[in-house]
Amino acid sequence: MARSLSTPKESVLSDLPNIVPAAFEVPDFTRLVPSAPTHKPRILMLYGSLRERSYSRLLTFEAQHLLESFGAEVRIFHANGLPLPNDAPDDHPKVQELREAMLWSEGQVWTSPERHGAMSAVLKSQIDWIPLPGGAIRPTQGRTLALMQVSGGSQSFNALNQMRILGRWMRMVTIPNQSSVAKAWQEFDEAGRMKPSSYYDRVVDVMEELVKFTLINRSVAGYLTSRYSERKEEAVKLEERVSLKAI
């Protein structure tokens, strides 16, 4: 019988005495080939401001137009009425709305103003309502993520850098490109549409890249995020269950 490419040879494992064989897999290229799309990429957009004329909201709307033109299905979560983390039960309607949208999404866009050199509390509160483990389901693991920020003054990347760290912590596939719009109050017209500029071109780049990464990633995300340590834990649990049945 031919040996699977994902099954390690005994000679290899003999050099790895700390490895649990049942949990060790050699990466299999055939499982990394994305399947043909059966539906539009599902993108959730979060933004970090509740101001009446919010430039992070306007930038989100502008990116929505682009994403839909690139063939994505888009939902925007509006944080108005979302309580502070742990200041309401998990069954609060806005919390449930946010968590359902997280599970629906295959990719996300986070847009925040820079406040005191950091991402806004409004954006962070939305993320803090999403626990890293949600029972057997991780609401963010393996999903793609694009990041944008707006600044009232000169260009900065502080909020972007923080959100990138946060995306990694939430086990998301954060795309390389990002958008930072300086002096955002100059970049939108009275109707709230973004004016032509190099900033606008970068937003186009970021949304295009997000859709591409999402199309590649979504059908193989489960395999990409399958980890030896977690398989080992499950193998140990299975062995314990079998041992108990044998008693």
Side-chain angles (χ1 to χ4, degrees), residues 12 25 40 90 101 105 110 136 140 173 187 217 221:
V12 174
E25 294 181 0
K40 294 181 178 182
D90 289 353
S105 71
W110 299 351
T140 53
V173 181
E187 300 302 322
N217 175 76

Side-chain angles (χ1 to χ4, degrees), residues 173-201:
V173 181
T174 309
I175 68 171
N177 215 339
Q178 59 188 20
S179 169
S180 174
V181 180
K183 297 182 179 178
W185 51 277
Q186 292 182 345
E187 300 302 322
F188 294 87
D189 61 24
E190 290 301 315
R193 297 305 302 268
M194 197 170 183
K195 301 174 183 177
S197 68
S198 61
Y199 292 134
Y200 176 80
D201 293 344

